[in-house]
Amino acid sequence: MSSAGSGGAQRPGDRPGSPYRRGGAAARARLRRARGARPAARRAVPPPPASAGVSREPPPAPGARSRAPARFPGTEPQGAPEPSRSVRDSLFDAVRTAVALLDTDGRVVLWSPTAEQLLGWPSESLVGRRLEEVLLTSDGVLRARHALDQAVRSGSWHGRARVSNRDGDEVPVDVRISLLVDGGGVPFLQLSLSEAGALQAVERDLAVRDALFEQAALGICVLDTDLRYVGVNTMLAGMNGLRPEAHIGRTTGEVLPERAADEVTAIQRQVLATGEPIVDVTVASPSARCPGYRSLSYSRLTDRSGRVLGIAGLIMDVTDRYRAVAKVEHARRRLSLLNEFGSRVGDLLDASRIAQELAGAVVPRLADYSGVILLQAVASGDDLPRHPHSRHTVLVQLGVGSVREGPQVRAMLRRGAQIAFTDESVFGRVLRTGVPELVCGPAELENTTFPDDPRVQVALDLGVHSMMVAPLRARGIVIGLLVVSRAGRREAFDRDDLAFAVELADRAGSSLDNARLYARERAAALTLQRTLLPQQVPQPPGVEVAYRYVPGSSGAEVGGDWFDVIPLPGDRTALVVGDVMGHGLRAAATMGRLRTAVRTLAGLDLPPAVLLEHVHQLADDLVQGPDEALIATCVYAVYDPATRRCVLARAGHIPPLLVVPAEGAPGTVPGSGPLPGGTARVLDLPSGAPLGVGGVPFESLELEIPEGSLLALCTDGLVESRDRDLDEGLGRLQDVLEKPHASIQEACEAVLGIVDQGREPDDVALLLARLGRGPERSTAGWTLPAEPSAVSRARRLTRAALTEWHLEPLGDTAELLASELVTNAVRYAGAPIGLRLTVGDDTLVVEVSDPVPEPPTERRAEGTDEGGRGLELVRRLALRWGTRSEGRGKVVWLELPLPGGGG
């Protein structure tokens, strides 16, 4: 500390009233001995006397804000630069500290600008005056003098006080008094006044920092701008396995292992460069001795002026949290896998598809390779075996999954391959006991199936080291195995994995058993349906027929679709397509009954609308039980090749299509040859109501068919689906039929191509008929009056026609039966009667028409009756006979076999 001045300047100790004035040099010597002070090596320059009116202060501490001394106007030197002001904030700005220099009497020698800022008193008002008289109240003067005396005696004093600023307000300050002695032995007192509130806040912050840094259960570090540690607490040092002092001055890359340090250093550089904090980033523990996970949080440190000082980090061991979260996530993923698998197989009824879905679901989320092995009975839909499984049990691998492809994988996992095993193998034990097994290591893997199994050797070559074999069970019976394995660096299976595999296998087992039961029922329904459909479809004269019946895929039950081709008298043909609502055995059985009813009524040669009405009236008798209702659709068409006229009616069925050849196209005779294509249109038939519904009368439509036209009848499974309406499907059918085809059979195949691939189709029944003229027939017809003479005339005309056709052997029988039919017509009709004879391929057809619509009724005549035996003769002598409506009347017909014919 420099002294007060030199030359004529007066020393503070020489002023009147000073205790050191009386003692002089001796007193100062005693003070030095009492304090143990040693003379300075050189004299310091003392401060100027109080009368000079100039205050000085020591040089500011590093980082402190400096203030230029106050100057009176006109005293600034010319051309002097403005004093620079620091723009940086520091701790001295947070806690302002005023410095003053006092003599031992308490008079102010120096008063710093910071003191002036803190209390508002300028230096010229205080220098040379006792400080306590200005700043303190009367009761504080004594305490101030006591503090000064104690500082003189002991060398320092520290305490709190309340001083008055220039405005008269009290300011709480922290006071520190230190005794200073200059080189000449002159004592001075340095007074430091700090804002008590701000100082307490800083002390509290420092205490919190120390407590947090040393006592927190978190790892804390501070790094400079070179990312070198400048502070590390004990917790983080323990995490890193080094002493705290071993971190100081080193980077993370020099403290942690290389692989762990790269990730952490990248995070630190990002935070330092961008200023964006990183919060709760989980990384693996860098220590191999303590495996686990850590949470890293870093933020950038800046001072009050914004200068970057470095970064601070919080590191927390989150191994338990991470493992708990990982366990929850692991369970969530497995639950998701179970739900996903259930949704994927919930509507599947094909064991092969379910097996493949199961094998694919576990790869790669659970395993690297998977196989689903089932009993042959499950795959084929047979009954489950009741005897225990043995090495003779036939197992088929129906589902496979793998993370790799290649010949080795195909050699180990192949769909459709039969799996052999021994009773003592892993497969044999699981099949026999139903207890899942966990297989680890090459020795146990070699005992999976049978010794020297090449598939096991391939698995070992692929790096398989862990395997689970879980039973697929249904109704308490093991119906197959779920085999999953892991290879390479993947962790081996544990007991939790085995429990999950068992749960997954149990769900799959139920689905597989449902598929087996469905396959068995579907096979029975399909067998029944095929037996009820036409076994042989005739090729009537004038009509070329092609058909296709496609049962629903394995995902849909067998339906009630059907078709029929029925030959009628006079070379006419009935074409029928129908669909019974519903699926399964009941629908198939109902379809068989309905087809039989239609075929029986067709034998009566009823008009299409009348036939559908009769079938509707039989609806209650065609169902399986009284609580069920028959709902079926049907389209019925009758084609006469002699007149090329077709009569159609439908009951709620989709309308048929007619393809007319283009004008000038080469004519084709039904029987063979290509289809030239043409213009297709949907026939506008009255829709009618489905059979069993009623309420809408059935109506017929009669058309004259151009020769070579194609009539298409089908069920809705061909043209309608959930995502496609009927009009769109009929349009696609029209497009196919309008194109030329090599044959009618090829046209059938092309039509089936419009069924959407990848969907579960309903049953499809398709009937295509190319219509044309029949072969040339020998025909003779006459119109007879409704009088008795018509009978004898009919006999003569019949005899003459048969003689002309060289069919004399049929003359007597044909004359007799024709006369009987004409006799009935003369007796009951009052209008002209028609007689027509037609020679077919192997029969002679005799037809008698009259305007009376009621058909004749056969009755049994007694022995004494003169009449009533005509129809009985017809029934006995004709090959078959019947009636049909024609216009407003009817036609009674009979057939006689030709000599040497098949009849």
Side-chain angles (χ1 to χ4, degrees):
M1 179 80 185
S2 60
S3 59
S6 61
Q10 184 182 17
R11 296 183 178 181
D14 296 334
R15 289 194 295 269
S18 172
Y20 297 99
R21 179 180 178 84
R22 293 188 297 269
R28 290 195 293 273
R30 286 195 301 271
L31 177 62
R32 284 196 298 269
R33 285 194 298 271
R35 294 282 297 130
R38 292 175 297 178
R42 59 185 179 89
R43 290 181 63 88
V45 179
S51 61
V54 179
S55 66
R56 296 182 180 178
E57 68 179 79
R65 178 177 296 175
S66 62
R67 176 173 177 175
R71 297 181 182 271
F72 293 102
T75 63
E76 293 85 353
Q78 297 294 327
E82 285 291 327
S84 61
R85 294 180 179 271
S86 174
V87 296
R88 294 179 179 176
D89 293 332
S90 66
L91 182 62
F92 292 99
D93 296 293
V95 181
R96 291 187 295 177
T97 302
V99 179
L101 196 64
L102 311 178
D103 61 11
T104 53
D105 287 338
R107 292 185 175 86
V108 177
V109 178
L110 293 176
W111 186 254
S112 68
T114 306
E116 182 178 340
Q117 295 175 5
L118 179 63
L119 299 178
W121 293 98
S123 59
E124 57 268 20
S125 301
L126 293 180
V127 172
R129 300 177 62 183
R130 288 183 178 274
L131 186 66
E132 67 271 17
E133 296 175 355
V134 179
L135 302 183
L136 300 176
T137 58
S138 58
D139 57 344
V141 172
L142 294 177
R143 289 194 297 271
R145 291 179 178 176
H146 173 72
L148 293 175
D149 292 342
Q150 185 176 354
V152 170
R153 287 193 301 269
S154 62
S156 65
W157 184 86
H158 176 217
R160 296 287 174 87
R162 303 182 70 86
V163 299
S164 299
N165 60 15
R166 190 172 185 178
D167 297 330
D169 300 328
E170 289 189 350
V171 179
V173 293
D174 182 89
V175 182
R176 293 179 183 271
I177 305 175
S178 300
L179 177 64
L180 303 177
V181 180
D182 65 1
V186 179
F188 295 94
L189 297 175
Q190 177 182 305
L191 176 67
S192 298
L193 303 176
S194 302
E195 295 175 289
L199 186 62
Q200 287 178 350
V202 172
E203 292 176 347
R204 183 169 57 251
D205 293 343
L206 291 176
V208 171
R209 179 261 182 196
D210 292 340
L212 179 64
F213 203 79
E214 296 300 332
Q215 301 176 15
L218 303 175
I220 304 175
C221 65
V222 179
L223 296 92
D224 60 15
T225 54
D226 294 329
L227 297 181
R228 296 185 178 276
Y229 289 102
V230 295
V232 174
N233 70 343
T234 306
M235 180 62 68
L236 180 59
M239 290 182 184
N240 294 340
L242 295 175
R243 292 176 292 105
E245 54 269 21
H247 290 71
I248 306 303
R250 302 173 68 184
T251 64
T252 304
E254 296 170 347
V255 172
L256 301 180
E258 181 179 357
R259 294 183 60 184
D262 292 342
E263 183 177 5
V264 177
T265 302
I267 296 174
Q268 294 173 349
R269 287 174 178 170
Q270 178 182 348
V271 173
L272 184 63
T274 64
E276 294 292 333
I278 296 294
V279 180
D280 196 17
V281 175
T282 302
V283 299
S285 173
S287 175
R289 297 179 295 101
C290 302
Y293 299 90
R294 294 182 180 179
S295 171
L296 307 181
S297 299
Y298 284 97
S299 60
R300 193 165 68 180
L301 297 176
T302 58
D303 60 12
R304 285 173 166 265
S305 64
R307 181 168 59 96
V308 178
L309 302 177
I311 61 173
L314 295 177
I315 295 86
M316 180 170 55
D317 188 342
V318 293
T319 302
D320 294 339
R321 185 189 75 180
Y322 183 86
R323 289 176 177 173
V325 172
K327 187 174 182 180
V328 172
E329 179 64 18
H330 189 55
R332 187 196 65 79
R333 288 197 301 266
R334 290 190 169 181
L335 181 61
S336 175
L337 176 58
L338 286 175
N339 294 335
E340 179 183 345
F341 172 73
S343 62
R344 290 167 65 177
V345 303
D347 56 349
L348 294 182
L349 293 172
D350 183 357
S352 178
R353 292 187 59 185
I354 294 174
Q356 184 57 40
E357 289 288 348
L358 175 59
V362 298
V363 175
R365 285 185 280 185
L366 179 64
D368 296 320
Y369 303 98
S370 64
V372 178
I373 303 171
L374 300 178
L375 302 180
Q376 182 65 48
V378 178
S380 58
D382 297 333
D383 292 334
L384 296 178
R386 296 299 178 182
H387 53 78
H389 297 302
S390 66
R391 60 187 179 88
H392 301 292
T393 302
V394 180
L395 295 179
V396 181
Q397 188 164 258
L398 290 185
V400 297
S402 65
V403 294
R404 297 175 53 187
E405 295 292 339
Q408 284 186 309
V409 176
R410 289 191 292 271
M412 179 179 65
L413 300 172
R414 182 169 58 87
R415 295 190 67 182
Q418 288 194 357
I419 306 299
F421 61 95
T422 62
D423 293 337
E424 296 78 17
S425 65
V426 175
F427 283 11
R429 291 196 300 268
V430 176
L431 280 173
R432 187 172 60 256
T433 63
V435 178
E437 291 198 16
L438 188 62
V439 182
C440 297
E444 295 184 10
L445 287 171
E446 291 177 353
N447 191 35
T448 303
T449 53
F450 60 88
D452 301 326
D453 186 352
R455 284 189 291 266
V456 175
Q457 186 58 47
V458 171
L460 294 175
D461 294 341
L462 290 172
V464 173
H465 58 79
S466 181
M467 178 183 293
M468 293 189 300
V469 182
L472 298 167
R473 288 173 288 208
R475 306 173 186 273
I477 300 175
V478 178
I479 62 174
L481 301 173
L482 170 62
V483 183
V484 294
S485 55
R486 287 179 177 174
R489 297 183 178 179
R490 198 164 183 177
E491 294 182 358
F493 291 116
D494 54 21
R495 289 296 172 181
D496 291 339
D497 295 325
L498 186 62
F500 173 73
V502 170
E503 184 175 358
L504 188 62
D506 289 342
R507 293 197 179 190
S510 301
S511 298
L512 288 168
D513 189 52
N514 291 337
R516 178 189 66 84
L517 294 175
Y518 170 76
R520 184 176 65 177
E521 181 179 351
R522 182 175 182 274
L526 189 58
T527 301
L528 173 62
Q529 187 181 44
R530 291 192 181 278
T531 58
L532 295 177
L533 288 173
Q535 303 302 307
Q536 293 182 350
V537 176
Q539 295 292 338
V543 180
E544 182 183 5
V545 177
Y547 63 93
R548 292 292 186 273
Y549 173 76
V550 181
S553 67
S554 60
E557 294 183 292
V558 172
D561 294 14
W562 57 282
F563 68 94
D564 209 345
V565 178
I566 307 171
L568 298 177
D571 290 340
R572 293 172 302 116
T573 303
L575 305 172
V576 191
V577 169
D579 185 5
V580 177
M581 189 181 71
H583 294 85
L585 287 171
R586 291 180 176 271
T590 303
M591 178 272 294
R593 293 183 177 187
L594 182 60
R595 174 176 174 262
T596 301
V598 171
R599 194 173 184 89
T600 302
L601 292 172
L604 300 178
D605 209 356
L606 299 175
V610 177
L611 182 141
L612 294 179
E613 182 63 33
H614 280 71
V615 175
H616 169 66
Q617 294 174 0
L618 295 173
D620 292 340
D621 297 328
L622 297 177
V623 295
Q624 299 290 319
D627 297 333
E628 299 182 11
L630 170 67
I631 300 179
T633 63
C634 181
V635 59
Y636 185 86
V638 177
Y639 177 68
D640 187 353
T643 60
R644 287 190 289 107
R645 300 196 68 81
C646 183
V647 182
L648 307 97
R650 63 182 177 130
H653 202 78
I654 61 175
L657 273 72
L658 182 66
V659 183
V660 179
E663 186 176 354
T668 56
V669 178
S672 62
L675 292 177
T679 303
R681 65 187 177 95
V682 179
L683 296 181
D684 188 14
L685 289 179
S687 63
L691 300 174
V693 176
V696 179
F698 300 104
E699 300 180 26
S700 299
L701 175 67
E702 185 173 356
L703 301 171
E704 183 174 351
I705 305 297
E707 188 171 2
S709 298
L710 186 68
L711 183 66
L713 309 177
C714 64
T715 55
D716 57 359
L718 179 66
V719 295
E720 193 175 18
S721 64
R722 294 179 180 177
D723 54 352
R724 185 181 65 187
D725 58 19
L726 179 61
D727 292 338
E728 181 183 353
L730 289 175
R732 296 173 64 178
L733 179 59
Q734 285 180 265
D735 294 339
V736 174
L737 293 178
E738 286 180 344
K739 298 176 182 179
H741 299 282
S743 65
I744 193 172
Q745 300 294 338
E746 183 179 312
C748 279
E749 295 297 330
V751 168
L752 292 181
I754 70 173
V755 178
D756 292 337
Q757 301 297 322
R759 71 177 178 92
E760 297 289 350
D762 194 1
D763 290 12
V764 173
L766 172 66
L767 184 61
L768 297 183
R770 179 159 51 175
L771 309 177
R773 291 187 180 274
E776 294 295 332
R777 302 293 189 184
S778 298
T779 302
W782 306 272
T783 299
L784 305 176
E787 56 187 31
S789 62
V791 177
S792 60
R793 185 181 176 188
R795 295 171 69 91
R796 290 193 304 270
L797 294 174
T798 300
R799 169 77 62 177
L802 294 180
T803 300
E804 181 181 353
W805 296 335
H806 305 291
L807 297 176
E808 290 86 352
L810 291 178
D812 295 339
T813 305
E815 283 184 42
L816 174 61
L817 298 183
S819 65
E820 289 296 333
L821 295 181
V822 172
T823 300
N824 285 339
V826 170
R827 180 176 298 178
Y828 299 105
I833 299 168
L835 173 63
R836 185 171 69 171
L837 304 179
T838 303
V839 179
D841 293 335
D842 52 6
T843 59
L844 171 66
V845 181
V846 180
E847 298 175 313
V848 176
S849 61
D850 61 62
V852 179
E854 289 80 8
T857 302
E858 180 184 358
R859 65 184 180 86
R860 183 176 297 275
E862 299 295 335
T864 58
D865 293 342
E866 295 182 359
R869 296 179 177 85
L871 292 182
E872 184 178 357
L873 288 174
V874 172
R875 179 177 58 82
R876 288 178 178 272
L877 299 179
L879 183 63
R880 57 179 180 167
W881 75 281
T883 63
R884 70 173 184 271
S885 299
E886 188 174 87
R888 295 185 178 183
K890 67 177 181 297
V891 175
V892 182
W893 56 269
L894 60 87
E895 293 181 354
L896 294 174
L898 296 179

